Amino acid sequence: GYGDREASLYRTDAPTISFDNLATAEALGQNQRWGVCSFDVGGAFFQGLETFRTDLFVALPKEWNDELAKRGWTKPTEEKLCAQLRKDVPGTKTGPRSFYLSFERAVLGRLTENVTVVKSRQDKCLYWLHGTNKAQQRTVHGYMVIHVDDGRIRAEKDVMEALMTKIKNKLNVRDVVKWNWSEKENEHSTDYLGVHMTTSRDKVTMS
């Protein structure tokens, strides 16, 4: 990141869920008896948008130079070859924002026939799962929050499954841990936003 000298010419900010909004959303999820699903996006920055920068190059290791020459693609040389990057990979200051925009494109919009993923006006990393009832009144079926490449969903079981399927179809997701309200004896534990969160039918603790 510190060697990314041209980064000042581009937007590099990448939002994350605030602790207060996370706590408020958790209170809603517990009151509604929604299940929990936590996940991590593997190799997140490699799944960002294709970069619009033209100044990103990386020097190839000598072993790559030798292999390319062996295959006849280049001439043997002691000079280091460079490759132009197509994405804002780890080590670039624009990487976090590129991934955030890529994630947003993957999740926003229609989820099911009756549910749509909508970004909160209060927090850019809080997404509501909105629907409408027979009276055309807005209903809430769950929410999702993100902190860099870590996500947490609390929602009705079928809605949560539909959202995870949508995310998996667009991004490489790993470490998926689920907990449903029907699991009386079990609990869901995870570290999120710098705090340890434990969710059960009785309570949510954040310490």
Coordinates of all heavy atoms in Angstrom, one line a residue, residues 1 7 21 23 29-31 36 51 68 75 81 141 148 165-166 169 179 184 186 194 200 204:
G1 N 0.8 -1.2 0.0 CA 0.0 0.0 0.0 C 0.8 1.3 0.0 O 0.6 2.2 -0.7
A7 N -2.0 6.3 -5.7 CA -3.3 6.1 -5.1 C -4.0 7.4 -4.7 O -5.2 7.4 -4.6 CB -3.1 5.2 -3.8
N21 N -24.9 0.8 14.8 CA -25.9 0.3 13.9 C -26.0 -1.3 13.9 O -27.0 -1.9 13.8 CB -25.6 0.7 12.5 CG -25.9 2.2 12.3 OD1 -26.8 2.7 12.9 ND2 -25.2 2.8 11.3
A23 N -25.4 -3.1 16.7 CA -26.1 -3.4 17.9 C -27.6 -3.2 17.7 O -28.4 -4.0 18.2 CB -25.5 -2.6 19.0
G29 N -33.1 -8.2 15.1 CA -33.0 -9.6 14.7 C -33.4 -10.6 15.8 O -34.1 -11.6 15.6
Q30 N -33.0 -10.3 17.0 CA -33.3 -11.1 18.2 C -34.8 -11.0 18.5 O -35.4 -12.0 18.8 CB -32.5 -10.7 19.4 CG -32.5 -11.6 20.5 CD -31.7 -12.9 20.2 OE1 -31.1 -13.0 19.2 NE2 -31.8 -13.9 21.1
N31 N -35.4 -9.8 18.4 CA -36.8 -9.6 18.7 C -37.6 -10.4 17.6 O -38.7 -10.9 18.0 CB -37.1 -8.1 18.7 CG -38.6 -7.9 19.0 OD1 -39.0 -8.2 20.1 ND2 -39.3 -7.3 18.1
V36 N -29.2 -16.8 12.1 CA -27.9 -16.1 11.8 C -27.1 -16.9 10.8 O -27.1 -18.1 10.8 CB -27.1 -16.0 13.1 CG1 -25.8 -15.2 12.8 CG2 -27.9 -15.3 14.2
T51 N -10.1 -3.0 -12.6 CA -9.6 -1.7 -12.4 C -9.6 -0.8 -13.6 O -9.5 -1.2 -14.7 CB -8.1 -1.7 -11.8 OG1 -7.7 -0.4 -11.4 CG2 -7.2 -2.2 -12.9
L68 N 8.4 -18.8 -18.9 CA 7.9 -18.2 -20.2 C 8.8 -18.4 -21.3 O 8.4 -18.7 -22.4 CB 7.6 -16.7 -19.9 CG 6.5 -16.4 -18.9 CD1 6.4 -14.9 -18.7 CD2 5.1 -16.9 -19.5
K75 N 11.8 -14.3 -24.8 CA 13.3 -14.6 -25.0 C 13.9 -14.6 -23.6 O 13.6 -13.8 -22.8 CB 13.9 -13.6 -25.9 CG 13.4 -13.6 -27.3 CD 14.2 -12.5 -28.2 CE 13.6 -12.5 -29.6 NZ 14.4 -11.5 -30.5
L81 N 10.6 -9.2 -16.0 CA 9.4 -8.8 -16.8 C 8.3 -8.3 -15.9 O 8.3 -8.7 -14.7 CB 9.0 -10.1 -17.5 CG 9.9 -10.7 -18.5 CD1 9.3 -11.9 -19.2 CD2 10.3 -9.7 -19.6
H141 N -37.8 -8.6 6.1 CA -37.6 -10.0 6.3 C -36.2 -10.4 6.8 O -35.9 -11.5 7.0 CB -37.8 -10.7 5.0 CG -39.2 -10.5 4.4 ND1 -40.2 -11.4 4.7 CD2 -39.7 -9.5 3.7 CE1 -41.3 -11.0 4.1 NE2 -41.0 -9.8 3.5
V148 N -15.6 -5.2 5.9 CA -14.5 -5.5 4.9 C -15.0 -6.8 4.1 O -15.9 -6.7 3.3 CB -13.2 -5.7 5.6 CG1 -12.1 -5.8 4.5 CG2 -12.8 -4.6 6.5
T165 N -27.3 -18.0 -1.4 CA -27.2 -18.6 -2.8 C -26.8 -17.6 -3.8 O -25.9 -17.8 -4.6 CB -28.5 -19.3 -3.2 OG1 -28.8 -20.3 -2.3 CG2 -28.4 -19.8 -4.6
K166 N -27.4 -16.4 -3.7 CA -27.1 -15.3 -4.6 C -25.6 -14.8 -4.4 O -24.9 -14.6 -5.4 CB -28.0 -14.1 -4.3 CG -27.8 -12.9 -5.2 CD -28.8 -11.8 -5.0 CE -28.7 -10.7 -6.0 NZ -29.6 -9.6 -5.8
N169 N -23.2 -17.4 -5.8 CA -23.2 -17.5 -7.3 C -22.3 -16.4 -7.9 O -21.9 -16.4 -9.1 CB -24.6 -17.3 -7.8 CG -25.4 -18.6 -7.6 OD1 -24.9 -19.7 -7.5 ND2 -26.7 -18.4 -7.7
W179 N -27.0 -20.6 12.1 CA -27.8 -21.0 13.3 C -29.2 -20.6 13.1 O -29.5 -19.5 12.6 CB -27.2 -20.3 14.5 CG -28.0 -20.5 15.7 CD1 -27.9 -21.6 16.6 CD2 -29.0 -19.6 16.3 NE1 -28.8 -21.4 17.6 CE2 -29.5 -20.3 17.5 CE3 -29.5 -18.4 15.9 CZ2 -30.5 -19.7 18.2 CZ3 -30.5 -17.9 16.7 CH2 -31.0 -18.5 17.8
K184 N -32.7 -25.1 19.8 CA -32.8 -24.6 21.2 C -31.5 -24.7 22.0 O -31.2 -23.9 22.8 CB -33.9 -25.4 21.8 CG -35.3 -25.3 21.2 CD -36.3 -26.1 21.9 CE -37.7 -25.9 21.3 NZ -38.8 -26.8 21.9
N186 N -28.3 -25.1 20.9 CA -27.1 -24.6 20.3 C -27.0 -23.0 20.3 O -28.0 -22.3 20.6 CB -27.0 -25.1 18.9 CG -26.8 -26.6 18.8 OD1 -26.3 -27.2 19.7 ND2 -27.4 -27.2 17.8
G194 N -14.4 -6.6 15.8 CA -13.5 -6.5 16.9 C -14.2 -6.9 18.2 O -13.6 -6.7 19.3
S200 N -28.0 -16.8 20.9 CA -28.8 -17.9 21.3 C -30.3 -17.5 21.4 O -30.6 -16.3 21.1 CB -28.4 -18.5 22.7 OG -28.7 -17.5 23.7
V204 N -28.3 -12.0 22.9 CA -27.1 -11.8 22.1 C -26.1 -11.1 23.0 O -26.5 -10.1 23.6 CB -27.4 -10.9 20.8 CG1 -26.1 -10.6 20.1 CG2 -28.4 -11.6 19.9

